[in-house]
Amino acid sequence: MTDDRASQRPRRADARDNRERILRAARAAFAEHGPRASLNRIGAAAGVGAGTLYRHFPSEQALLVEIIRADVDALCATGRDLADEPDAAGALRDWLRAVARHATAMRGLVATHMATVSRPGTDATLAACHDAIRATGAILLNRARNHGAAPPTVDIGDLLTLANALAWASEQAADDPGLLDRLLDLALAGLDA
Amino acid sequence: MTDDRASQRPRRADARDNRERILRAARAAFAEHGPRASLNRIGAAAGVGAGTLYRHFPSEQALLVEIIRADVDALCATGRDLADEPDAAGALRDWLRAVARHATAMRGLVATHMATVSRPGTDATLAACHDAIRATGAILLNRARNHGAAPPTVDIGDLLTLANALAWASEQAADDPGLLDRLLDLALAGLDA
DNA sequence: CTAGAATATGGAGAACCTCTCCACTTGGCA
DNA sequence: TGCCAAGTGGAGAGGTTCTCCATATTCTAG
């Protein structure tokens, strides 16, 4: 992660500027309208034509992916910090909570993430995000296992899918802010059994 | 449930026929293409113009809702049967599994269901479905509680949301048929703790 | 059995959507 | 400064959901 490879960084300063403005407008639009946000409008809000938008991000998904990438970086950093916590089980829980909460912050991101991760090969960047999260999660899960705080049968991939599923559910029920935490408690109750 | 109130049952026989054909085409289309199925095509497949389709079902959601209703009826029947099982905890689990599996059968239904249930007042029929499922689930949960097989803190609504969330997740990962069961096992592991 | 009212139909088209194409402009380097 | 690769914008293709209403069909009352 944190690769921001040159391939998608425009050579010209004005183009780089446009790219940033599109990204900013997209963040705002997705946060407000969820996955139904219109790319046309995002382009307009960024003061940019449709052609320009699609030059920078060839598809709606490409745009979402770019936004996800930043979140994933943050999540991995959080995970690394939590790996030093003495309470291994708690660290794993806290991190899964963070994953779910991050995923919820921007509506529609979870769906995109899941959709693409489940059909590998669709998007290289997203696959890299997935690997990075998985690796971070594996560290925490292993520590929890070594402390006898997680059964060896549990898979980190399933655990992350679970977190995303709960995030998605609480996205749907925006009027119940406590839902995510309740669902996490409910679903993770048997973790250390 | 099973109300099929007259309000949405056409007066003329030909119209009733068209309605059935649309419903059948829609079932097929949603099962195959998921939520991305096109209403235009559904109408065409049913041999009916767009105007006719929208006369019978004013929106995409109305169509989905009608399909959901049949599933809910079946689910409640299953729940009633399971309420006679001697193993109360197992019955609850089996029923939640059935809920999730039903929800998964027709891609996109879960999302519709959740979306509307969470914003009450959007659709009366869907609200009725929700109530029916909730009531059935409450019976099973109560039995499990009386057998000491479920903590009193757990809410049936949360449990159902959980089941739907897992169903949604396994919809996304169509290539991993075992996912739903693994997630259910994982998430319900702590139920009787 | 028939006429008239009530009901239902279909498809053109409005208003959106995503995404492509390419004649044009512009920034940065020699 | 002048050139050209890089970047732009917007018209338009082809999709979507959904509306409107002149036309056609069924049912009902006489």
Side-chain angles (χ1 to χ4, degrees):
Chain A
M1 294 279 72
T2 325
D3 66 8
D4 50 349
R5 60 195 112 38
S7 75
Q8 57 190 20
R9 183 140 282 206
R11 301 211 190 297
R12 269 164 52 170
D14 58 339
R16 244 169 295 152
D17 211 63
N18 276 342
R19 190 172 197 276
E20 285 315 305
R21 276 218 312 291
I22 292 171
L23 234 24
R24 236 172 309 147
R27 267 195 180 274
F30 285 127
E32 188 176 350
H33 300 103
R36 305 226 124 182
S38 149
L39 294 212
N40 269 359
R41 286 208 219 291
I42 289 175
V48 125
T52 302
L53 196 161
Y54 283 93
R55 152 171 270 267
H56 288 291
F57 305 98
S59 73
E60 178 166 7
Q61 193 179 268
L63 194 47
L64 253 345
V65 163
E66 198 49 36
I67 295 175
I68 287 174
R69 211 161 55 85
D71 282 7
V72 166
D73 279 348
L75 240 22
C76 290
T78 305
R80 260 173 268 125
D81 290 350
L82 283 169
D84 296 330
E85 284 288 312
D87 174 13
L92 177 59
R93 260 162 218 272
D94 285 351
W95 187 71
L96 287 174
R97 197 177 300 274
V99 168
R101 211 168 278 149
H102 247 271
T104 309
M106 196 136 308
R107 308 189 291 161
L109 290 198
V110 187
T112 309
H113 187 229
M114 290 284 299
T116 322
V117 151
S118 62
R119 270 180 296 281
T122 324
D123 182 291
T125 304
L126 209 44
C129 287
H130 190 223
D131 289 348
I133 287 222
R134 219 188 140 88
T136 306
I139 294 170
L140 293 167
L141 178 56
N142 256 331
R143 267 201 355 130
R145 274 195 194 127
N146 293 341
H147 287 68
T153 51
V154 174
D155 174 55
I156 183 62
D158 286 352
L159 226 35
L160 285 166
T161 302
L162 181 65
N164 275 313
L166 302 189
W168 173 82
S170 30
E171 267 183 16
Q172 308 305 106
D175 57 319
D176 183 352
L179 182 62
L180 179 58
D181 281 339
R182 294 205 311 281
L183 290 180
L184 277 165
D185 285 346
L186 180 54
L188 299 181
L191 237 203
D192 34 37
Chain B
M1 291 281 71
T2 324
D3 66 9
D4 49 347
R5 61 194 114 33
S7 75
Q8 55 190 20
R9 181 141 284 207
R11 302 210 188 297
R12 269 165 49 172
D14 57 338
R16 245 170 293 152
D17 210 63
N18 276 342
R19 190 172 196 277
E20 287 313 306
R21 276 217 313 290
I22 292 171
L23 233 24
R24 236 170 309 146
R27 267 194 180 274
F30 285 127
E32 187 176 351
H33 300 103
R36 306 227 122 183
S38 149
L39 295 212
N40 268 359
R41 287 207 219 292
I42 289 176
V48 125
T52 302
L53 196 162
Y54 283 94
R55 152 171 269 268
H56 288 290
F57 305 98
S59 72
E60 178 166 5
Q61 192 178 271
L63 194 47
L64 254 345
V65 163
E66 199 49 38
I67 294 175
I68 286 174
R69 212 162 54 85
D71 282 8
V72 165
D73 279 349
L75 240 20
C76 290
T78 304
R80 260 174 268 125
D81 289 350
L82 283 168
D84 296 330
E85 284 287 312
D87 173 12
L92 177 59
R93 259 162 218 271
D94 284 352
W95 187 70
L96 288 174
R97 195 177 301 272
V99 168
R101 210 169 280 149
H102 247 272
T104 309
M106 197 136 306
R107 307 190 289 162
L109 289 197
V110 186
T112 309
H113 187 230
M114 290 284 299
T116 322
V117 150
S118 62
R119 270 181 295 281
T122 326
D123 182 292
T125 303
L126 211 44
C129 287
H130 190 222
D131 289 348
I133 286 224
R134 219 187 139 87
T136 305
I139 294 170
L140 293 167
L141 177 56
N142 256 332
R143 269 202 353 133
R145 272 194 196 127
N146 293 342
H147 286 69
T153 51
V154 174
D155 174 57
I156 183 61
D158 286 351
L159 226 35
L160 284 166
T161 302
L162 180 65
N164 276 313
L166 303 190
W168 173 83
S170 30
E171 267 182 16
Q172 309 303 107
D175 56 319
D176 183 351
L179 182 62
L180 179 59
D181 281 339
R182 292 205 314 278
L183 290 180
L184 277 165
D185 285 346
L186 180 55
L188 299 182
L191 237 203
D192 33 39

